[in-house]
Structures are given as structure tokens and as C-alpha cells.
């Protein structure tokens, strides 16, 4: 865990990737980086595991990480949930047609 959170600085890398992706999206004709969905899943896994593993939660108590989780990650999760719901509704309406 030390290697993942200290040596590889995974939290910093995740947050930096989101900043760089947001900057890239401001450019004309830009699209989201293909790996951003994976980073969302990894971030959610870190949040989930930190709630039951003190050795992980010691790393995730950082103010910048908490801000990311409560802000940008929460928005991404909401957007993903909305997309799943829309897809489910479309699939259901197609079955009843």
C-alpha cells in the first residue's frame, strides 16, 4: 500500500489526470481521454476500500483528495448514474414497442 500511495503517488496522478483532461476539453473539437472512466472506477474503489481499511484511509484523508471525491468524482458518478438510467429507460421502451 505504501508503494501505491507514496511511491507511485496514485492520488496525485488521478487528480492531475482530471485537471489535464478538463484543460484538454476546453480546446475546440476535443474529446474526453479514453482512460478517464477507468480512473473513475479506480477512484471509487479507493474510496470504498478506505472506509474499511485504516492503512488506506490514512492516505485518503488529504484535503485535496477529499475535495476531489466530494466535488469532481461525485459529479462524474452522478453523470454515470444518469447515463445508466437513460440507457435502461431506452432499452425498456424499445422492448414495449
Amino acid at each position: 500500500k505504501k508503494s501505491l500511495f507514496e511511491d507511485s503517488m496514485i492520488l496525485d496522478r488521478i487528480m492531475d489526470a482530471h485537471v489535464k483532461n478538463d484543460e484538454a476539453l476546453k480546446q475546440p473539437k476535443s474529446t474526453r481521454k479514453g482512460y478517464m472512466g477507468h480512473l473513475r472506477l479506480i477512484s471509487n474503489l479507493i474510496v470504498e476500500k478506505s472506509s474499511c481499511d485504516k492503512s488506506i484511509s490514512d492516505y485518503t484523508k488529504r484535503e485535496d483528495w477529499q475535495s476531489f471525491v466530494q466535488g469532481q468524482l461525485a459529479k462524474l458518478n452522478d453523470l454515470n448514474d444518469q447515463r445508466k438510467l437513460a440507457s435502461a429507460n431506452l432499452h425498456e421502451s424499445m422492448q414495449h414497442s
Side-chain angles (χ1 to χ4, degrees), residues 7-70:
D7 298 340
S8 74
M9 302 183 315
I10 191 166
L11 302 181
D12 291 313
R13 289 175 183 246
I14 290 171
M15 292 184 290
D16 288 346
H18 280 278
V19 168
K20 288 178 182 175
N21 185 65
D22 290 346
E23 289 171 359
L25 287 175
K26 293 176 184 174
Q27 302 302 315
K29 298 184 180 181
S30 65
T31 59
R32 179 176 85 125
K33 303 288 184 194
Y35 54 82
M36 297 308 292
H38 296 288
L39 290 182
R40 185 186 64 80
L41 294 172
I42 293 167
S43 298
N44 284 323
L45 185 61
I46 291 170
V47 170
E48 178 186 330
K49 296 299 180 186
S50 71
S51 67
C52 58
D53 187 333
K54 184 179 179 339
S55 64
I56 294 175
S57 69
D58 288 344
Y59 293 105
T60 60
K61 290 178 183 176
R62 296 173 30 181
E63 188 176 328
D64 57 347
W65 177 255
Q66 288 301 312
S67 179
F68 168 75
V69 167
Q70 295 167 5

Side-chain angles (χ1 to χ4, degrees), residues 76-86:
L76 291 170
N77 287 333
D78 288 343
L79 181 61
N80 190 61
D81 291 345
Q82 291 171 8
R83 287 180 179 160
K84 283 182 183 177
L85 181 60

